[in-house]
Amino acid sequence: MTALRVRAEQWGEWTVLRVVGELDLATSPTVRQRVHDAVADGQRRLVLDLSEVLFCDSSGVGVLVGARRLMRSCAGELRLILPARGAEDGSHVNRVLAALGVRRLFDCHPDLASAVGDANAPLSA
């Protein structure tokens, strides 16, 4: 079974979901549910930290596109953390999104400070 962990943190007005592991057919429903839960809780500014995602297939890309659509439908903002290097030999998700030609659809940042726009410590972990 594929391992995936999602941890939520609040950074000011931003909800950060840190995704660790593999984002594929078996695990993508977990990320989808966490995004939906955040929106249901009234969160409208969401960061998906994908810097520790080691693998992403089309199911994972579908979840990211769906998250973008959901956030836009509720006048929210979605940002992705996709470092040029990370998760061992570079951001796998970054390469997959670029290869599919959909990276341009997302507001991508190299790190958390850039994504949330400040260096405030998390409000809760």
Side-chain angles (χ1 to χ4, degrees):
M1 179 164 224
T2 308
L4 179 89
R5 290 189 326 269
V6 181
R7 186 177 78 235
E9 299 175 352
Q10 254 340 101
W11 285 73
E13 297 178 348
W14 291 93
T15 297
V16 178
L17 296 179
R18 294 183 186 263
V19 183
V20 178
E22 297 184 4
L23 188 53
D24 58 21
L25 182 63
T27 62
S28 60
T30 300
V31 176
R32 179 182 299 113
Q33 187 61 54
R34 294 297 295 267
V35 169
H36 282 265
D37 290 347
V39 170
D41 288 342
Q43 302 302 318
R44 296 298 179 263
R45 301 182 99 189
L46 183 65
V47 174
L48 291 177
D49 181 351
L50 306 172
S51 59
E52 294 186 62
V53 172
L54 300 172
F55 175 80
C56 180
D57 68 6
S58 60
S59 301
V61 172
V63 166
L64 298 179
V65 171
R68 177 184 180 270
R69 186 177 303 121
L70 176 63
M71 295 309 292
R72 290 173 59 96
S73 74
C74 65
E77 290 181 68
L78 174 67
R79 296 180 178 173
L80 304 182
I81 298 177
L82 295 173
R85 304 232 20 106
E88 295 179 8
D89 64 343
S91 174
H92 179 78
V93 180
N94 201 6
R95 292 191 312 265
V96 168
L97 294 179
L100 294 173
V102 296
R103 187 180 186 281
R104 62 181 172 72
L105 299 176
F106 297 97
D107 184 4
C108 300
H109 295 266
D111 55 41
L112 183 60
S114 170
V116 298
D118 62 31
N120 290 333
L123 298 177
S124 64

